[in-house]
């Protein structure tokens, strides 16, 4: 028996006869690969056939190699958890064709979103398809991973890092791929951030300097003075950020002799503004492009893309949540409740179920205790970060860990 990605199901007899029980006669998600290697516009051909036209009786001659990746709003490192929210920026570097048949080596982008698009919870989380075409498979893979690594993908968390790591992997480049590729090479390794901890720390420093430049540009008094300027040596400026590698406390001073940043000796500040910071690191100048959307900060550089969250100096009292709170990992709808207020729950016990992006997500108790609050019911629509329930730990004085989510 055979089941295809298109939904076609059927079988073949011992005599070589094929029988199909069902077939979806539609273009596949990967049809740009066929278009790149044959030079044919499959959509245009469909329209011609619908109008009574005929296909060339001779099959097209394929040439070159094409690779397509699907950019998804999902977090592979968190059990492929789908993401929802605003796509602030989606841009690939260089010349990129959009929904066009490539006539030579290059990149193509078939995107279903644009800057400012909001990804909801009711549909598939695919944002775009990125396709590379080149004379050799290795060159196509290199073109694709370089473009994705340098792309500006701001807003939602995506599978971009996973795609780049796979495209760079020796096993993939050698063609040693199968359905167990993630298990063989480790999903945690393949889904790791492209920027390491050192790169993230430098990006946090660049983010702090860009934020200072933006504040000085908006100042109404002494705008020309550098941030934190004092006539005599004083305390450093301090900003804090959360990143994939943990929390970063940036401490720096802009002195008469240049930048002095704790933990970054020898770094020279070449230029800085609200969107661009240039640092000389070990004699090499590196540019950091900084974009901020509320408390979310994206820093793009040759060291790898970094996403940070600015930690406010003072937290509003209303923003505090009780210890043991189970927060919604995404917007969705409560479809089932597994416990009632006053019930004793065990660690890992399902408390409720959410439905989002055509998937069901189980929210589990992070620790043993008593369910003391349940502000939602079946049918309740919740936003990201909403309190779904509160579990008071069995051992007093020990706050519970974040809720476990299973999909």
């Amino acid at each position: 028996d055979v089941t295809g990605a298109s939904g076609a199901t059927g079988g073949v007899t011992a005599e070589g006869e094929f029988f199909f029980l069902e077939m979806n006669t539609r273009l596949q998600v990967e049809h740009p690969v066929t278009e790149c290697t044959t030079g044919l516009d499959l959509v245009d051909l469909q329209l011609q056939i619908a109008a009574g036209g005929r296909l060339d009786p001779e099959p097209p001659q394929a040439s070159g190699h094409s690779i397509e990746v699907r950019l998804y709003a999902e977090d592979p490192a968190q059990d492929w958890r789908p993401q929802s929210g605003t796509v602030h920026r989606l841009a690939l570097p260089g010349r990129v064709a959009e929904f066009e048949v490539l006539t030579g080596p290059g990149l193509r982008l078939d995107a279903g979103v644009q800057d400012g698009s909001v990804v909801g919870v009711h549909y598939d989380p695919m944002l775009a398809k990125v396709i590379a075409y080149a004379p050799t498979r290795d060159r196509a893979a290199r073109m694709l991973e370089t473009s994705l690594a340098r792309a500006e993908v701001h807003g939602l968390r995506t599978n971009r890092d996973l795609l780049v790591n796979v495209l760079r992997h020796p096993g993939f480049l050698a063609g040693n791929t199968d359905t167990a590729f993630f298990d063989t090479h480790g999903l945690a390794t393949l889904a790791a951030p492209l920027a390491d901890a050192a790169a993230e720390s430098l990006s946090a420093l660049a983010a702090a300097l860009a934020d200072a430049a933006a504040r000085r540009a908006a100042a109404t008094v002494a705008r020309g003075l550098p941030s934190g300027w004092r006539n005599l040596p004083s305390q450093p400026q301090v900003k804090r950020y959360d990143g994939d590698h943990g929390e970063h406390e940036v401490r720096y001073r802009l002195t008469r002799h240049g930048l002095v940043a704790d933990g970054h000796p020898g770094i020279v500040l070449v230029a800085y503004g609200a969107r661009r910071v240039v640092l000389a690191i070990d004699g090499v100048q590196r540019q950091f492009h900084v974009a901020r959307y509320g408390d979310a900060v994206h820093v793009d550089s040759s060291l790898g893309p970094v996403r940070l969250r600015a930690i406010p100096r003072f937290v509003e009292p209303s923003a505090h949540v009780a210890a043991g709170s189970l927060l919604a990992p995404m917007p969705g709808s409560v479809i089932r409740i597994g416990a009632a207020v006053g019930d004793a729950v065990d660690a890992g016990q399902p408390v409720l179920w959410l439905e989002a992006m055509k998937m069901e997500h189980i929210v589990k108790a992070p620790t043993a205790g008593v369910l003391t609050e349940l502000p939602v019911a079946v049918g309740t629509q919740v936003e990201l970060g909403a309190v779904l329930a509160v579990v008071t730990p069995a051992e007093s004085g020990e706050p519970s860990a974040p809720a476990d989510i299973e999909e």
Side-chain angles (χ1 to χ4, degrees):
D1 290 342
V2 178
T3 301
S6 65
T9 57
V12 60
T13 67
E15 292 73 26
E17 295 182 286
F18 287 88
F19 294 89
F20 288 94
L21 304 178
E22 174 195 4
M23 179 178 288
N24 294 329
T25 53
R26 59 174 173 81
L27 287 180
Q28 302 305 294
V29 178
E30 299 80 12
H31 79 271
V33 169
T34 302
E35 294 187 339
C36 288
T37 55
T38 63
L40 300 177
D41 187 330
L42 298 184
V43 176
D44 181 63
L45 288 175
Q46 280 192 323
L47 295 174
Q48 291 185 36
I49 293 170
R54 291 179 176 274
L55 294 176
D56 190 325
E58 294 298 321
Q61 294 297 315
S63 64
H65 294 257
S66 182
I67 302 175
E68 174 185 306
V69 298
R70 303 186 194 183
L71 185 66
Y72 270 73
E74 65 183 8
D75 188 354
Q78 296 293 326
D79 295 325
W80 309 94
R81 185 181 302 169
Q83 308 290 299
S84 61
T86 302
V87 179
H88 296 298
R89 176 79 170 155
L90 176 59
L92 273 64
R95 183 187 178 280
V96 180
E98 296 188 25
F99 295 99
E100 297 179 15
V101 178
L102 298 176
T103 57
L107 292 166
R108 167 176 166 175
L109 174 67
D110 290 8
V113 298
Q114 59 185 4
D115 295 356
S117 292
V118 176
V119 177
V121 298
H122 304 294
Y123 304 102
D124 187 282
M126 185 168 71
L127 303 177
K129 300 181 294 184
V130 188
I131 307 98
Y133 174 64
T136 66
R137 182 177 182 273
D138 184 74
R139 183 177 171 188
R142 297 298 184 190
M143 289 172 55
L144 192 52
E145 65 92 357
T146 299
S147 181
L148 284 171
R150 296 179 180 177
E152 295 177 340
V153 185
H154 299 169
L156 301 175
R157 188 177 292 276
T158 69
N159 65 337
R160 185 258 297 273
D161 292 357
L162 172 71
L163 297 175
V164 174
N165 285 327
V166 170
L167 289 166
R168 290 175 175 174
H169 198 280
F172 176 84
L173 295 174
N176 299 324
T177 57
D178 53 32
T179 55
F181 190 86
F182 291 160
D183 294 331
T184 301
H185 301 289
L187 178 59
T189 300
L190 294 172
L194 297 178
D196 60 20
E200 188 172 273
S201 178
L202 286 168
S203 296
L205 173 61
L209 292 167
D211 182 61
R215 292 178 184 276
R216 294 313 304 158
T220 57
V221 177
R223 182 180 300 173
L225 293 180
S227 173
W229 185 85
R230 295 291 187 275
N231 195 34
L232 297 172
S234 185
Q235 297 299 312
Q237 299 290 299
V238 180
K239 292 186 175 68
R240 294 165 58 224
Y241 298 92
D242 263 338
D244 290 330
H245 294 283
E247 184 176 312
H248 302 273
E249 182 176 83
V250 180
R251 303 172 65 87
Y252 72 93
R253 288 189 297 122
L254 295 174
T255 72
R256 291 184 176 90
H257 305 290
L259 173 69
V260 177
D262 292 1
H264 300 287
I267 286 184
V268 177
L269 177 60
V270 179
Y272 76 111
R275 297 181 178 273
R276 175 176 170 270
V277 175
V278 181
L279 299 174
I281 306 167
D282 296 328
V284 178
Q285 289 192 13
R286 296 190 182 274
Q287 296 189 47
F288 297 81
H289 297 275
V290 183
R292 182 164 181 166
Y293 312 93
D295 63 353
V297 185
H298 290 264
V299 184
D300 295 296
S301 74
S302 59
L303 298 176
V306 169
R307 52 183 297 135
L308 303 167
R309 183 184 68 85
I311 301 175
R313 293 180 63 189
F314 305 103
V315 180
E316 292 289 337
S318 60
H320 287 285
V321 295
S325 295
L326 282 64
L327 306 182
M330 68 202 72
S333 175
V334 178
I335 59 174
R336 184 180 171 191
I337 301 292
V341 172
D343 287 354
V345 295
D346 296 323
Q349 176 180 332
V351 175
L352 53 85
W353 285 254
L354 283 178
E355 183 179 53
M357 289 187 175
K358 302 188 295 184
M359 295 179 63
E360 186 176 287
H361 311 272
I362 304 175
V363 180
K364 299 180 178 180
T367 187
V370 177
L371 186 62
T372 53
E373 294 184 35
L374 187 64
V376 298
V378 173
T380 301
Q381 295 288 330
V382 297
E383 296 298 325
L384 173 67
V387 176
L388 304 175
V390 177
V391 175
T392 300
E395 298 180 6
S396 60
E398 292 293 332
S400 61
D404 291 329
I405 310 296
E406 181 178 295
E407 302 170 5

